[in-house]
Amino acid sequence: MKKHLIRPNSIVGDEWKARKLTRQLAAFTANQQIQVHHGKKIVEVSAAQLNKGAAVAQVLAEEHPYECVLCAGDDRTDESMFVLNTPGLLSVKVGDGPTQAGFRVADPALLRQFLVKALVQSRGDQQ
């Protein structure tokens, strides 16, 4: 009798591989100041003091003041941007799940629609 391996579909298999990689990297870097995060379709490895929020904060501190800053994202690795206390910062969570973002849209298509409407309105306000 021939045995057949049951293979999960590629999405489930890829998710399993990403979680396994995250655990292995976290164990390998346990005594170092490195963070390992499993996000949507990514495994992010960064220095403990660096994240997307820190990068945005640094750019905003170095550049000329902006009237409005938009931070949008779809996974946990984006939350560090969403918690920034910056005047004029709009934070948008794309999709479901817990978030600190000020706004939420269901999917990338709705985010694009929002951006188009905002641009059209801002152009009308400038005339």
Side-chain angles (χ1 to χ4, degrees):
M1 183 172 173
K2 189 174 182 181
K3 291 184 180 182
H4 296 280
L5 295 175
I6 298 173
R7 294 184 181 189
N9 66 39
S10 64
I11 294 172
V12 173
D14 291 345
E15 179 71 18
W16 177 82
K17 289 175 189 175
R19 290 188 190 280
K20 182 178 179 182
L21 176 61
T22 301
R23 286 191 307 273
Q24 290 173 334
L25 286 170
F28 180 71
T29 61
N31 294 325
Q32 301 174 30
Q33 291 187 342
I34 293 176
Q35 293 180 344
V36 180
H37 297 284
H38 176 227
K40 278 188 172 179
K41 299 181 183 180
I42 68 159
V43 174
E44 180 178 279
V45 180
S46 63
Q49 68 276 17
L50 296 179
N51 56 45
K52 293 177 183 180
V56 169
Q58 182 176 352
V59 168
L60 294 176
E62 294 173 357
E63 298 296 325
H64 303 288
Y66 295 95
E67 287 183 35
C68 181
V69 176
L70 173 70
C71 293
D74 65 353
D75 69 37
R76 290 183 305 186
T77 64
D78 300 311
E79 290 297 318
S80 61
M81 295 185 300
F82 299 160
V83 298
L84 292 174
N85 187 14
T86 302
L89 183 124
L90 298 173
S91 56
V92 181
K93 166 77 172 184
V94 180
D96 58 0
T99 187
Q100 296 294 313
F103 300 93
R104 181 189 302 269
V105 294
D107 55 46
L110 288 174
L111 178 63
R112 285 189 294 275
Q113 288 177 10
F114 164 77
L115 293 173
V116 167
K117 287 179 184 178
L119 288 172
V120 167
Q121 184 175 346
S122 72
R123 288 181 184 151
D125 291 345
Q126 292 176 358
Q127 295 177 357

